[in-house]
Amino acid sequence: MKLGKLLENIPVLELCADPETEISGISYDSRKTQPGDLFVAIKGFEADGHRFIPKAIANGAAAVLCEDAPADGTPYVRIADCRYGLAIASRDFFGNPAGEMKVIGFTGTSGKTSSTQILKHVLESQLGAKVGLIGTNGNMIGGELLHTEHTTPESYELHRLFRQMADAGCTHVVMEVSSHSLTLERVAGITFDVAVFTNLSQDHLDLHGTMEAYAEAKRKIFSQCRVGCINADDERAAFMAEGAKCPIFTYSAEDNGADLVAKDIRLTASGVRFAAVSAGELALTKLAIPGMFSVYNALSVTAAGLCLGLTLHDCAEGLGSAKGVKGRMESVPTDGDYSILIDYSHKPDALEKALKTLRPVTKGRLTVLFGCGGDRDRVKRPIMGAIAAQNADLVIVTSDNPRTEEPMAIINEILPGLKKGRAASKVICDRIEAICWAIDNAGKGDVILLAGKGHEDYQIIGHEKHHMDEREIVAEHLQKRKQGR
C-alpha cells in the first residue's frame, strides 16, 4: 500500500516522506521492524518509541510516523497522536475488516468476560453465525482458541485479528473493550454496531487517577457506536448516556422504567431465573450461573441481542442452553462435603458480589482466599481486605501476581482492612501452600472461594510467568491426600 493512501484518514501535520513509498507492513517495536514497514513511534509509559527510530530505520523501515521530528534524512510523517495514528493506519492497512462484520463491544468494570462469551453462544445457537471473540480468557475464531496477552490487543494486532476473523467467515465479533483500550486509542476508528456498558466500580486508578476519569474513559465508547446499551441500575448510567452520539437502550433488574426489565427474579445455587420484559413482550429466562450478577449478565446479553435484531424469546432460548465460563464461579471437584469455587474477582466490587452470592448457599463456613496484584492500584488493597473480613467467616490472605513488588509488602497493605470485619484470618504468602491449607482445614458444608486468578493458569513473579493452575493444585493435593501423603 502506498504511504499516501495509508495517510488518507490521518490528520498530517508535516509530511517529509514520499507519498508514493510502498509500505509492506506496520510496526511499533523497532526490534520487530521489517524492511518496508511504516514504523510508528509510540510514547509509552516505560519508553519513548522516538528513541528507537534509528534502529527501526536500520532494520529497513521505509518511513516513520512520529509526533516529534527525527534526525535529518529520516523519511517521516509528523502527526499529533501516534496511538491514534497507529489505530487508523492499522485499520486501513488491513482494509477495515471490522466493517465487514457486526462488532459488539462490552465495557465496564465487571461482567465483560462472562457476557461476551454468553452472547457468542447465543448468536451461534440462534443465528447459526460464526462468531469471533476477543477478551480476557483468550481470542476465538469460531471454536478455535487463540492466546492473548491483553483484554483488548494493541490496535495493529486487533485489526490483524479482525482480518483473520473476516477471512475465516465470521459474521459477528463480540469483544471486551477495556478502559485502557479506550484511553490508549486501541479501538480508535472502529464503529461498534452495539456497545454495552455493564457497571462501574473502583479499578484501574493506577492509569486513570480518579473515578471520574475512569468513567470518562468508559463513556468514550458511546461516541463510536450505532446503538448503546446501558445498565440503568448503575449510579453512573445517566453520565454514560449523556452526550452519546447514538440511540440508547437501557436494561434494569430494579424495574425502573428501562427498555428491558427483569421481573420475578429467582436466585438458586444452580443459577438464576426471571421474566424478561421488553416492549410489551415477556420471556421466561434462565442462566445456569448463580448470583445476582448473572441476572445482569443475562440482561446485558439480551439487550445486545435485541439491538442486533433477535427476539426476546431467541435470547431466552440461547441463555437457557449457555454454560458457565471458566474462572467465573467455576466449581472444582472435591473429596468431601465441602465446595471449592474459582472466581476472577480481583476487584473490590467483584469480590463483594462473589461473597454475597455464596453466603446464602453456604451451610458451614465461608472461606475466601485472595491477594492483590503487584504494580497495580494500591488503593484497593485494604478495601478488599475489609470486604473479605465483612463478608466471609475465614480470610486467607496470600499472593496473587506480585510482579515486581515484594509479596509480603502487598499483603501488609491488605491487612489493615481486615480490622473492619469480624472474620478470622490467616496469612500464607505462598499461594499453593495457602490453597492446600484451606483444603486441609475445610469442614462439612464449608465453601472455599479461591478469588483473583480465575481463568489464569500462571503467576507473574517479576517479569516472568510461571505455570500455576488452581484446578491442578486442588486436584494434585486431593490425590496426595488420597494416597496418604
Side-chain angles (χ1 to χ4, degrees), residues 46 149-150 180 186 202-207 344 346-347 371-382 384 400-405 410 413 456 458 460 462-463 465:
E46 297 181 0
E149 292 289 341
H150 301 286
H180 283 69
R186 290 177 189 163
Q202 182 170 319
D203 196 31
H204 300 308
L205 297 191
D206 51 322
L207 173 67
Y344 192 49
H346 62 294
K347 306 163 187 174
C372 289
D375 303 333
R376 297 294 187 269
D377 182 11
R378 294 175 59 182
V379 175
K380 74 179 183 182
R381 293 173 184 176
M384 290 186 68
D400 192 278
N401 290 321
R403 298 185 177 86
T404 64
E405 288 192 63
I410 298 172
E413 291 189 353
E456 294 178 354
Y458 58 82
I460 304 174
H463 295 288
K465 283 185 177 180

Side-chain angles (χ1 to χ4, degrees), residues 1 3 6 16-18 21-41 49-50 52-66 70 73-77:
M1 179 180 286
L3 176 61
L6 201 58
C16 289
D18 184 355
T21 300
E22 192 66 36
I23 300 298
S24 57
I26 298 174
S27 63
Y28 55 92
D29 184 337
S30 62
R31 295 167 297 183
K32 299 177 182 179
T33 299
Q34 300 291 321
D37 277 3
L38 172 66
F39 175 72
V40 185
H50 289 75
F52 303 102
I53 289 175
K55 184 174 181 180
I57 293 296
N59 285 345
V64 171
L65 196 64
C66 56
T74 300
Y76 71 90
V77 182

